[in-house]
Amino acid sequence: MKLYEAIEYVINKDGIGIICEQRFTNYLSDLQAYETPAIRRIVSIILKDRYCERLHNGLVNGTYKLEFKEVAYQLTHFVGFQEEIVQFVLDSLLYATHKIDDEPTFEYDSVTKINDQSQSNFIGTVITEQREIISKKDIENFFNLEAEAAKEKWEATMKLSIQDRIRKRKAIKDVYLDKEYSDTSEDHYNLLKVNVNVNLSDFKEGECLILHKESSTFGIKCRLNAFRGDENIILEVFPPDMPSDLSSYYDIPLMLDKDKVDLRDNVYYPFLSNLPITSDVFWQNLIFNRCPKPTFKNEKQCEMQLAETIQSFNLSLLPKQKEAILNCMKAQDYYLIQGPPGTGKSFILGIIMLEEIFDLKHNVIVIGPNHMSINNALEQFVKLVPSYSVLVKKVGQSYNAPTIKVAYEGKEYGIENIPRLNVNWARNISTQHNLNWVIGLTPHSLYTSRARTLDCDTLIIDEAGQMTISLALMGMIKAKKIIFAGDHKQLPPIVSSDKVSPRLKQSVFEALISDNNCTMLNTSFRMCEPICDYVSELFYDGHLHAMKHGCSDALICTDPLYSFDSPVVLHEIDDDGEQVSDKEAMFIADTIAGFIAKGINPKDIAVLSPFRAQAANIRRTIRKHTEINKEDCKKISSDTIDKMQGQEREVILYSLVSGNIEYMEEMAEFLYNPNKMNVAFSRAKSKLIIVGSLSKINKLVLPNYPHINKMLNSKYSKII
């Protein structure tokens, strides 16, 4: 008996509810309805995992089209059954209940010929995969582990002596409060300026600190707003935390230490209370090794809309750029855009925002791991349609992401930074003006008073390669469609706890990316061809190509160290240092002096290093160099890799620093991390100079870092 005939017989005998009972499979077996073991397995899984309840409800309530589609999606994309077999089983049920008119057919082939042993193994695999589901509890554990790790790290650090905290880059001593400085941020926080003699800390903008006297660990709770050169730091203080006796902090040496931070009660637990736990929501689908295929609709309409946009704005788009935009427009649930360095990812996001709010009539939220990433995306939208900047709001602000301003036809347009969102504004834009809006903010703001009630049609996550699944979910559950833009080959997310599951340590971008849900932008507009080929060989398996062929003719000379005709240069400097190398610093300062003497603008030169201490050491060495004047010194950047993501320079000098073999092996993950090196090397437009103990690196056994061997032996580089 055919499957649909057997199903119809059983339902007529015992009613539609029989499909939710275990004896249903036995009846079908008795009627010899299973043509293949695979069909039996599918029916068993439908019962075992309670998909049958959805099918039953769909048949009874008239929602079977949606329910059957969702079940088919789950069984094929997540459980892993062959699509044709799944559709045959579900169509047989629909035909048996007279919901469709076409008789189901299925062509039996070798794929379905699986013996009982393999069947058993398969079911075991399914059960194993289901145990790996990332649940709401897993997300909660992630935040708890991160909070506990931060607490333990802080407590352990504060038990150290002052000297040890400074040596471990966790504190700054001899800090003096500038009593002449007084200012407030756009968020109406009080700003304080402190002067420091030597800053070798690993402090980052946005971190919570405590400014205190050496005799006490109590003091002023603050956040690091900005570094002003090597000597000054701007701190921001929430007004209630400003001490009434601020004058008692003047004219005495102070300390800056990291403060413990716990966002669970005020941010993460409110988010978790809103996190749906049903098995059919999109976020749950992230757990499977194979991601669901995006659902595409309205293809012809989207193609017409994009063609009109291209014509109206006189846009020139490469095939992959056009593909990325079009697939994001067509996608009903989600899509990914991989943007390697200099490929115009932010520009593409600007066009996508334009299409979303004007053609697709969607309200858009843009989130990212930091304010800079959010601003980069929003700025591109404003550049396209400056007069519509009134439709854009930015919640919160950071020193690294100043207010966006765009000049157009003699006028200046910008995006208003607001401390918190007035939901009436968004409502009025939609109802009174019949327009849609774009709002940029951090994921945390969605669960505070800044923007607690906000949701949207489309969520754009920029720099999704730096965002954990847990943080991304904070925005994802607020949207109907999600666009992930990023690059898992660049900087990864920062995760503090070693106890966090590897699946939750990875970025949401890396968790999702597959061949059928992502467009890679494969043309770099930044790097000249030899540098691009070098980066492509090291980090992108040769798939990244340069728009600019050949080399820049801005600096042609006979010396390969300076000539842009030799774009990638490696230079050996033997040093036994760990985090600081005076030899490398001096060579770099001499080289920069040479570039300036040959006419290169100091603004076009940057020095990068894994360590802040070495970056500061290089800055000091440049300032002392007799052939580099003070004004030029101010124009030259010397910083860590993290600070340079999203930026570019004509000339990049990279200080490898470490020459101590034991330390190099111990710190390999930090020193030779491919993601960080990718960011560093790909900042260069015309010249990349890598300086360090190359011969010692060559002796290291680094099987997990194949890019190191390529770095030293590439045909695109020259050792001098």
Side-chain angles (χ1 to χ4, degrees), residues 652-694:
I652 292 290
L653 298 101
Y654 186 70
S655 175
L656 291 163
V657 188
S658 300
N660 182 307
I661 289 283
E662 291 183 1
Y663 188 79
M664 293 159 74
E665 291 175 342
E666 180 185 348
M667 298 291 291
E669 171 55 28
F670 179 80
L671 290 169
Y672 312 120
N673 182 285
N675 300 70
K676 288 189 175 184
M677 284 189 149
N678 181 18
V679 173
F681 296 174
S682 60
R683 302 309 95 192
K685 297 169 66 176
S686 301
K687 187 79 177 184
L688 171 64
I689 301 174
I690 302 168
V691 182
S693 302
L694 306 179

mmCIF file of all heavy atoms in Angstrom, residues 652-694:
data_model
loop_
_atom_site.group_PDB
_atom_site.id
_atom_site.type_symbol
_atom_site.label_atom_id
_atom_site.label_comp_id
_atom_site.label_asym_id
_atom_site.label_seq_id
_atom_site.Cartn_x
_atom_site.Cartn_y
_atom_site.Cartn_z
ATOM 1 N N ILE A 652 52.247 51.198 6.162
ATOM 2 C CA ILE A 652 52.093 50.531 7.454
ATOM 3 C C ILE A 652 53.397 49.848 7.810
ATOM 4 O O ILE A 652 53.954 49.086 7.008
ATOM 5 C CB ILE A 652 50.950 49.491 7.435
ATOM 6 C CG1 ILE A 652 49.599 50.173 7.287
ATOM 7 C CG2 ILE A 652 50.975 48.626 8.702
ATOM 8 C CD1 ILE A 652 49.138 50.967 8.474
ATOM 9 N N LEU A 653 53.898 50.128 9.014
ATOM 10 C CA LEU A 653 55.048 49.413 9.554
ATOM 11 C C LEU A 653 54.555 48.565 10.715
ATOM 12 O O LEU A 653 53.882 49.075 11.624
ATOM 13 C CB LEU A 653 56.138 50.378 10.030
ATOM 14 C CG LEU A 653 56.750 51.268 8.932
ATOM 15 C CD1 LEU A 653 56.135 52.666 8.990
ATOM 16 C CD2 LEU A 653 58.269 51.365 9.087
ATOM 17 N N TYR A 654 54.892 47.290 10.692
ATOM 18 C CA TYR A 654 54.409 46.367 11.713
ATOM 19 C C TYR A 654 55.577 45.854 12.543
ATOM 20 O O TYR A 654 56.504 45.234 12.013
ATOM 21 C CB TYR A 654 53.658 45.201 11.086
ATOM 22 C CG TYR A 654 53.004 44.286 12.109
ATOM 23 C CD1 TYR A 654 51.914 44.724 12.838
ATOM 24 C CD2 TYR A 654 53.476 43.009 12.342
ATOM 25 C CE1 TYR A 654 51.303 43.908 13.786
ATOM 26 C CE2 TYR A 654 52.874 42.183 13.284
ATOM 27 C CZ TYR A 654 51.787 42.647 14.008
ATOM 28 O OH TYR A 654 51.189 41.836 14.944
ATOM 29 N N SER A 655 55.518 46.121 13.843
ATOM 30 C CA SER A 655 56.560 45.689 14.768
ATOM 31 C C SER A 655 56.152 44.383 15.432
ATOM 32 O O SER A 655 55.222 44.339 16.239
ATOM 33 C CB SER A 655 56.792 46.776 15.831
ATOM 34 O OG SER A 655 57.705 46.353 16.815
ATOM 35 N N LEU A 656 56.845 43.299 15.098
ATOM 36 C CA LEU A 656 56.567 41.990 15.689
ATOM 37 C C LEU A 656 57.009 41.910 17.149
ATOM 38 O O LEU A 656 56.521 41.086 17.916
ATOM 39 C CB LEU A 656 57.256 40.898 14.876
ATOM 40 C CG LEU A 656 56.682 40.647 13.474
ATOM 41 C CD1 LEU A 656 57.665 39.875 12.621
ATOM 42 C CD2 LEU A 656 55.372 39.882 13.563
ATOM 43 N N VAL A 657 57.990 42.700 17.513
ATOM 44 C CA VAL A 657 58.478 42.923 18.879
ATOM 45 C C VAL A 657 59.271 41.742 19.435
ATOM 46 O O VAL A 657 60.486 41.842 19.624
ATOM 47 C CB VAL A 657 57.335 43.276 19.865
ATOM 48 C CG1 VAL A 657 57.951 43.695 21.206
ATOM 49 C CG2 VAL A 657 56.451 44.360 19.321
ATOM 50 N N SER A 658 58.591 40.669 19.749
ATOM 51 C CA SER A 658 59.181 39.623 20.578
ATOM 52 C C SER A 658 60.277 38.854 19.859
ATOM 53 O O SER A 658 60.104 38.413 18.721
ATOM 54 C CB SER A 658 58.098 38.662 21.063
ATOM 55 O OG SER A 658 57.129 39.362 21.819
ATOM 56 N N GLY A 659 61.413 38.694 20.580
ATOM 57 C CA GLY A 659 62.519 37.910 20.062
ATOM 58 C C GLY A 659 63.006 36.854 21.023
ATOM 59 O O GLY A 659 63.996 36.176 20.768
ATOM 60 N N ASN A 660 62.292 36.703 22.129
ATOM 61 C CA ASN A 660 62.592 35.663 23.112
ATOM 62 C C ASN A 660 61.844 34.393 22.713
ATOM 63 O O ASN A 660 60.603 34.363 22.723
ATOM 64 C CB ASN A 660 62.179 36.141 24.505
ATOM 65 C CG ASN A 660 62.494 35.146 25.599
ATOM 66 O OD1 ASN A 660 62.132 33.986 25.539
ATOM 67 N ND2 ASN A 660 63.168 35.624 26.636
ATOM 68 N N ILE A 661 62.588 33.344 22.351
ATOM 69 C CA ILE A 661 61.994 32.127 21.807
ATOM 70 C C ILE A 661 60.928 31.542 22.730
ATOM 71 O O ILE A 661 59.827 31.194 22.309
ATOM 72 C CB ILE A 661 63.069 31.065 21.499
ATOM 73 C CG1 ILE A 661 63.905 31.485 20.292
ATOM 74 C CG2 ILE A 661 62.444 29.701 21.251
ATOM 75 C CD1 ILE A 661 63.240 31.300 18.972
ATOM 76 N N GLU A 662 61.262 31.400 24.004
ATOM 77 C CA GLU A 662 60.322 30.822 24.964
ATOM 78 C C GLU A 662 59.054 31.659 25.052
ATOM 79 O O GLU A 662 57.946 31.124 25.078
ATOM 80 C CB GLU A 662 60.979 30.695 26.336
ATOM 81 C CG GLU A 662 62.086 29.638 26.397
ATOM 82 C CD GLU A 662 62.665 29.489 27.780
ATOM 83 O OE1 GLU A 662 62.185 30.209 28.700
ATOM 84 O OE2 GLU A 662 63.600 28.671 27.959
ATOM 85 N N TYR A 663 59.209 32.956 25.102
ATOM 86 C CA TYR A 663 58.056 33.844 25.171
ATOM 87 C C TYR A 663 57.246 33.784 23.880
ATOM 88 O O TYR A 663 56.012 33.796 23.905
ATOM 89 C CB TYR A 663 58.527 35.278 25.437
ATOM 90 C CG TYR A 663 57.399 36.258 25.720
ATOM 91 C CD1 TYR A 663 56.809 36.312 26.971
ATOM 92 C CD2 TYR A 663 56.942 37.115 24.732
ATOM 93 C CE1 TYR A 663 55.775 37.208 27.235
ATOM 94 C CE2 TYR A 663 55.926 38.019 24.991
ATOM 95 C CZ TYR A 663 55.344 38.051 26.245
ATOM 96 O OH TYR A 663 54.322 38.944 26.506
ATOM 97 N N MET A 664 57.911 33.706 22.748
ATOM 98 C CA MET A 664 57.233 33.624 21.460
ATOM 99 C C MET A 664 56.369 32.379 21.378
ATOM 100 O O MET A 664 55.242 32.414 20.878
ATOM 101 C CB MET A 664 58.257 33.641 20.331
ATOM 102 C CG MET A 664 58.995 34.987 20.204
ATOM 103 S SD MET A 664 60.565 34.832 19.326
ATOM 104 C CE MET A 664 60.006 34.612 17.639
ATOM 105 N N GLU A 665 56.874 31.242 21.858
ATOM 106 C CA GLU A 665 56.098 30.009 21.853
ATOM 107 C C GLU A 665 54.933 30.083 22.820
ATOM 108 O O GLU A 665 53.824 29.648 22.519
ATOM 109 C CB GLU A 665 57.007 28.827 22.191
ATOM 110 C CG GLU A 665 58.020 28.497 21.103
ATOM 111 C CD GLU A 665 58.980 27.403 21.507
ATOM 112 O OE1 GLU A 665 59.104 27.135 22.724
ATOM 113 O OE2 GLU A 665 59.633 26.816 20.599
ATOM 114 N N GLU A 666 55.189 30.655 23.999
ATOM 115 C CA GLU A 666 54.150 30.763 25.017
ATOM 116 C C GLU A 666 53.025 31.697 24.574
ATOM 117 O O GLU A 666 51.856 31.444 24.840
ATOM 118 C CB GLU A 666 54.763 31.277 26.326
ATOM 119 C CG GLU A 666 53.771 31.432 27.471
ATOM 120 C CD GLU A 666 54.405 32.065 28.696
ATOM 121 O OE1 GLU A 666 55.662 32.166 28.733
ATOM 122 O OE2 GLU A 666 53.668 32.483 29.603
ATOM 123 N N MET A 667 53.372 32.780 23.881
ATOM 124 C CA MET A 667 52.416 33.809 23.489
ATOM 125 C C MET A 667 52.027 33.724 22.018
ATOM 126 O O MET A 667 51.541 34.707 21.452
ATOM 127 C CB MET A 667 53.005 35.189 23.779
ATOM 128 C CG MET A 667 53.297 35.471 25.246
ATOM 129 S SD MET A 667 51.785 35.623 26.203
ATOM 130 C CE MET A 667 51.143 37.175 25.560
ATOM 131 N N ALA A 668 52.193 32.558 21.399
ATOM 132 C CA ALA A 668 51.942 32.418 19.957
ATOM 133 C C ALA A 668 50.527 32.839 19.574
ATOM 134 O O ALA A 668 50.330 33.528 18.563
ATOM 135 C CB ALA A 668 52.211 30.980 19.514
ATOM 136 N N GLU A 669 49.531 32.458 20.356
ATOM 137 C CA GLU A 669 48.150 32.780 20.034
ATOM 138 C C GLU A 669 47.930 34.286 20.002
ATOM 139 O O GLU A 669 47.170 34.794 19.183
ATOM 140 C CB GLU A 669 47.194 32.133 21.044
ATOM 141 C CG GLU A 669 45.731 32.572 20.943
ATOM 142 C CD GLU A 669 45.142 32.368 19.555
ATOM 143 O OE1 GLU A 669 45.596 31.463 18.818
ATOM 144 O OE2 GLU A 669 44.234 33.120 19.190
ATOM 145 N N PHE A 670 48.622 35.008 20.871
ATOM 146 C CA PHE A 670 48.496 36.452 20.896
ATOM 147 C C PHE A 670 49.359 37.105 19.815
ATOM 148 O O PHE A 670 48.902 37.992 19.094
ATOM 149 C CB PHE A 670 48.894 36.997 22.270
ATOM 150 C CG PHE A 670 48.824 38.496 22.379
ATOM 151 C CD1 PHE A 670 47.615 39.124 22.595
ATOM 152 C CD2 PHE A 670 49.970 39.277 22.275
ATOM 153 C CE1 PHE A 670 47.545 40.512 22.678
ATOM 154 C CE2 PHE A 670 49.904 40.656 22.367
ATOM 155 C CZ PHE A 670 48.691 41.274 22.571
ATOM 156 N N LEU A 671 50.597 36.667 19.695
ATOM 157 C CA LEU A 671 51.534 37.314 18.789
ATOM 158 C C LEU A 671 51.226 37.041 17.319
ATOM 159 O O LEU A 671 51.377 37.925 16.476
ATOM 160 C CB LEU A 671 52.959 36.859 19.101
ATOM 161 C CG LEU A 671 53.572 37.347 20.410
ATOM 162 C CD1 LEU A 671 54.869 36.607 20.690
ATOM 163 C CD2 LEU A 671 53.803 38.839 20.361
ATOM 164 N N TYR A 672 50.788 35.820 17.008
ATOM 165 C CA TYR A 672 50.655 35.410 15.615
ATOM 166 C C TYR A 672 49.223 35.052 15.240
ATOM 167 O O TYR A 672 48.993 34.321 14.275
ATOM 168 C CB TYR A 672 51.607 34.249 15.327
ATOM 169 C CG TYR A 672 53.006 34.506 15.824
ATOM 170 C CD1 TYR A 672 53.613 33.668 16.772
ATOM 171 C CD2 TYR A 672 53.722 35.619 15.399
ATOM 172 C CE1 TYR A 672 54.883 33.926 17.247
ATOM 173 C CE2 TYR A 672 55.000 35.897 15.877
ATOM 174 C CZ TYR A 672 55.566 35.047 16.804
ATOM 175 O OH TYR A 672 56.832 35.330 17.284
ATOM 176 N N ASN A 673 48.271 35.561 16.002
ATOM 177 C CA ASN A 673 46.868 35.329 15.691
ATOM 178 C C ASN A 673 46.555 35.795 14.272
ATOM 179 O O ASN A 673 46.796 36.958 13.924
ATOM 180 C CB ASN A 673 45.988 36.080 16.702
ATOM 181 C CG ASN A 673 44.517 35.855 16.468
ATOM 182 O OD1 ASN A 673 43.926 36.401 15.546
ATOM 183 N ND2 ASN A 673 43.894 35.067 17.308
ATOM 184 N N PRO A 674 46.050 34.899 13.401
ATOM 185 C CA PRO A 674 45.850 35.280 11.995
ATOM 186 C C PRO A 674 44.852 36.418 11.820
ATOM 187 O O PRO A 674 45.000 37.238 10.920
ATOM 188 C CB PRO A 674 45.352 33.979 11.349
ATOM 189 C CG PRO A 674 44.827 33.151 12.472
ATOM 190 C CD PRO A 674 45.663 33.496 13.664
ATOM 191 N N ASN A 675 43.834 36.460 12.666
ATOM 192 C CA ASN A 675 42.840 37.519 12.550
ATOM 193 C C ASN A 675 43.461 38.893 12.798
ATOM 194 O O ASN A 675 43.201 39.860 12.068
ATOM 195 C CB ASN A 675 41.691 37.283 13.538
ATOM 196 C CG ASN A 675 40.980 35.973 13.286
ATOM 197 O OD1 ASN A 675 41.521 34.919 13.519
ATOM 198 N ND2 ASN A 675 39.748 36.005 12.815
ATOM 199 N N LYS A 676 44.291 38.975 13.844
ATOM 200 C CA LYS A 676 44.924 40.257 14.156
ATOM 201 C C LYS A 676 45.949 40.646 13.089
ATOM 202 O O LYS A 676 46.039 41.804 12.691
ATOM 203 C CB LYS A 676 45.586 40.194 15.535
ATOM 204 C CG LYS A 676 44.597 40.172 16.695
ATOM 205 C CD LYS A 676 45.294 40.327 18.018
ATOM 206 C CE LYS A 676 44.288 40.433 19.151
ATOM 207 N NZ LYS A 676 44.925 40.684 20.459
ATOM 208 N N MET A 677 46.727 39.676 12.642
ATOM 209 C CA MET A 677 47.702 39.976 11.596
ATOM 210 C C MET A 677 47.008 40.401 10.305
ATOM 211 O O MET A 677 47.491 41.289 9.598
ATOM 212 C CB MET A 677 48.590 38.759 11.344
ATOM 213 C CG MET A 677 49.649 38.545 12.400
ATOM 214 S SD MET A 677 50.822 37.256 11.922
ATOM 215 C CE MET A 677 52.314 37.821 12.729
ATOM 216 N N ASN A 678 45.897 39.798 10.008
ATOM 217 C CA ASN A 678 45.120 40.169 8.828
ATOM 218 C C ASN A 678 44.715 41.638 8.910
ATOM 219 O O ASN A 678 44.878 42.398 7.945
ATOM 220 C CB ASN A 678 43.884 39.274 8.730
ATOM 221 C CG ASN A 678 43.029 39.580 7.511
ATOM 222 O OD1 ASN A 678 43.467 40.214 6.552
ATOM 223 N ND2 ASN A 678 41.792 39.109 7.523
ATOM 224 N N VAL A 679 44.191 42.045 10.065
ATOM 225 C CA VAL A 679 43.808 43.441 10.258
ATOM 226 C C VAL A 679 45.014 44.354 10.081
ATOM 227 O O VAL A 679 44.947 45.373 9.386
ATOM 228 C CB VAL A 679 43.166 43.653 11.651
ATOM 229 C CG1 VAL A 679 42.940 45.139 11.913
ATOM 230 C CG2 VAL A 679 41.853 42.896 11.748
ATOM 231 N N ALA A 680 46.132 43.988 10.702
ATOM 232 C CA ALA A 680 47.331 44.829 10.643
ATOM 233 C C ALA A 680 47.839 44.993 9.216
ATOM 234 O O ALA A 680 48.062 46.113 8.738
ATOM 235 C CB ALA A 680 48.422 44.239 11.533
ATOM 236 N N PHE A 681 48.023 43.900 8.506
ATOM 237 C CA PHE A 681 48.624 43.952 7.170
ATOM 238 C C PHE A 681 47.704 44.650 6.163
ATOM 239 O O PHE A 681 48.163 45.342 5.262
ATOM 240 C CB PHE A 681 48.950 42.548 6.674
ATOM 241 C CG PHE A 681 49.992 41.821 7.491
ATOM 242 C CD1 PHE A 681 50.289 40.489 7.224
ATOM 243 C CD2 PHE A 681 50.667 42.447 8.521
ATOM 244 C CE1 PHE A 681 51.240 39.804 7.969
ATOM 245 C CE2 PHE A 681 51.620 41.769 9.282
ATOM 246 C CZ PHE A 681 51.909 40.452 9.008
ATOM 247 N N SER A 682 46.410 44.441 6.331
ATOM 248 C CA SER A 682 45.458 44.951 5.343
ATOM 249 C C SER A 682 45.129 46.433 5.517
ATOM 250 O O SER A 682 44.310 46.968 4.781
ATOM 251 C CB SER A 682 44.169 44.128 5.376
ATOM 252 O OG SER A 682 43.561 44.197 6.656
ATOM 253 N N ARG A 683 45.764 47.109 6.476
ATOM 254 C CA ARG A 683 45.596 48.565 6.589
ATOM 255 C C ARG A 683 46.410 49.284 5.526
ATOM 256 O O ARG A 683 46.159 50.460 5.233
ATOM 257 C CB ARG A 683 46.048 49.069 7.969
ATOM 258 C CG ARG A 683 45.379 48.505 9.233
ATOM 259 C CD ARG A 683 43.888 48.573 9.176
ATOM 260 N NE ARG A 683 43.372 47.288 8.697
ATOM 261 C CZ ARG A 683 42.090 47.111 8.324
ATOM 262 N NH1 ARG A 683 41.262 48.121 8.318
ATOM 263 N NH2 ARG A 683 41.649 45.926 7.938
ATOM 264 N N ALA A 684 47.413 48.604 4.950
ATOM 265 C CA ALA A 684 48.364 49.239 4.032
ATOM 266 C C ALA A 684 47.785 49.386 2.633
ATOM 267 O O ALA A 684 47.247 48.424 2.064
ATOM 268 C CB ALA A 684 49.656 48.418 3.981
ATOM 269 N N LYS A 685 47.931 50.559 2.053
ATOM 270 C CA LYS A 685 47.482 50.806 0.692
ATOM 271 C C LYS A 685 48.603 50.609 -0.322
ATOM 272 O O LYS A 685 48.395 50.039 -1.390
ATOM 273 C CB LYS A 685 46.919 52.225 0.574
ATOM 274 C CG LYS A 685 45.693 52.484 1.431
ATOM 275 C CD LYS A 685 45.330 53.958 1.495
ATOM 276 C CE LYS A 685 44.885 54.495 0.142
ATOM 277 N NZ LYS A 685 44.447 55.920 0.252
ATOM 278 N N SER A 686 49.821 51.093 0.007
ATOM 279 C CA SER A 686 50.914 51.065 -0.964
ATOM 280 C C SER A 686 52.187 50.404 -0.456
ATOM 281 O O SER A 686 53.015 49.967 -1.267
ATOM 282 C CB SER A 686 51.252 52.499 -1.410
ATOM 283 O OG SER A 686 50.145 53.137 -1.995
ATOM 284 N N LYS A 687 52.375 50.349 0.879
ATOM 285 C CA LYS A 687 53.629 49.821 1.412
ATOM 286 C C LYS A 687 53.382 49.154 2.759
ATOM 287 O O LYS A 687 52.763 49.727 3.648
ATOM 288 C CB LYS A 687 54.650 50.946 1.576
ATOM 289 C CG LYS A 687 56.058 50.484 1.963
ATOM 290 C CD LYS A 687 56.813 49.945 0.763
ATOM 291 C CE LYS A 687 58.245 49.538 1.119
ATOM 292 N NZ LYS A 687 59.009 49.098 -0.077
ATOM 293 N N LEU A 688 53.884 47.918 2.902
ATOM 294 C CA LEU A 688 53.809 47.175 4.151
ATOM 295 C C LEU A 688 55.214 46.721 4.522
ATOM 296 O O LEU A 688 55.860 45.995 3.755
ATOM 297 C CB LEU A 688 52.873 45.963 4.014
ATOM 298 C CG LEU A 688 52.855 44.965 5.178
ATOM 299 C CD1 LEU A 688 52.329 45.617 6.450
ATOM 300 C CD2 LEU A 688 52.014 43.737 4.818
ATOM 301 N N ILE A 689 55.694 47.160 5.691
ATOM 302 C CA ILE A 689 57.020 46.781 6.176
ATOM 303 C C ILE A 689 56.845 46.018 7.489
ATOM 304 O O ILE A 689 56.298 46.545 8.453
ATOM 305 C CB ILE A 689 57.917 48.012 6.395
ATOM 306 C CG1 ILE A 689 58.081 48.787 5.075
ATOM 307 C CG2 ILE A 689 59.280 47.592 6.941
ATOM 308 C CD1 ILE A 689 58.843 50.098 5.228
ATOM 309 N N ILE A 690 57.295 44.770 7.517
ATOM 310 C CA ILE A 690 57.194 43.912 8.698
ATOM 311 C C ILE A 690 58.582 43.783 9.308
ATOM 312 O O ILE A 690 59.528 43.359 8.640
ATOM 313 C CB ILE A 690 56.621 42.530 8.320
ATOM 314 C CG1 ILE A 690 55.240 42.688 7.657
ATOM 315 C CG2 ILE A 690 56.516 41.640 9.549
ATOM 316 C CD1 ILE A 690 54.728 41.422 7.002
ATOM 317 N N VAL A 691 58.696 44.147 10.581
ATOM 318 C CA VAL A 691 59.990 44.213 11.249
ATOM 319 C C VAL A 691 59.993 43.275 12.452
ATOM 320 O O VAL A 691 59.062 43.287 13.257
ATOM 321 C CB VAL A 691 60.281 45.656 11.732
ATOM 322 C CG1 VAL A 691 61.649 45.722 12.394
ATOM 323 C CG2 VAL A 691 60.183 46.638 10.576
ATOM 324 N N GLY A 692 61.040 42.474 12.592
ATOM 325 C CA GLY A 692 61.130 41.615 13.761
ATOM 326 C C GLY A 692 62.191 40.543 13.626
ATOM 327 O O GLY A 692 62.962 40.513 12.655
ATOM 328 N N SER A 693 62.201 39.627 14.592
ATOM 329 C CA SER A 693 63.174 38.530 14.621
ATOM 330 C C SER A 693 62.703 37.406 13.711
ATOM 331 O O SER A 693 62.258 36.337 14.161
ATOM 332 C CB SER A 693 63.355 38.033 16.061
ATOM 333 O OG SER A 693 63.788 39.076 16.915
ATOM 334 N N LEU A 694 62.802 37.619 12.426
ATOM 335 C CA LEU A 694 62.241 36.702 11.432
ATOM 336 C C LEU A 694 62.893 35.327 11.498
ATOM 337 O O LEU A 694 62.221 34.300 11.361
ATOM 338 C CB LEU A 694 62.403 37.289 10.029
ATOM 339 C CG LEU A 694 61.832 38.703 9.818
ATOM 340 C CD1 LEU A 694 62.096 39.166 8.391
ATOM 341 C CD2 LEU A 694 60.346 38.739 10.111
#
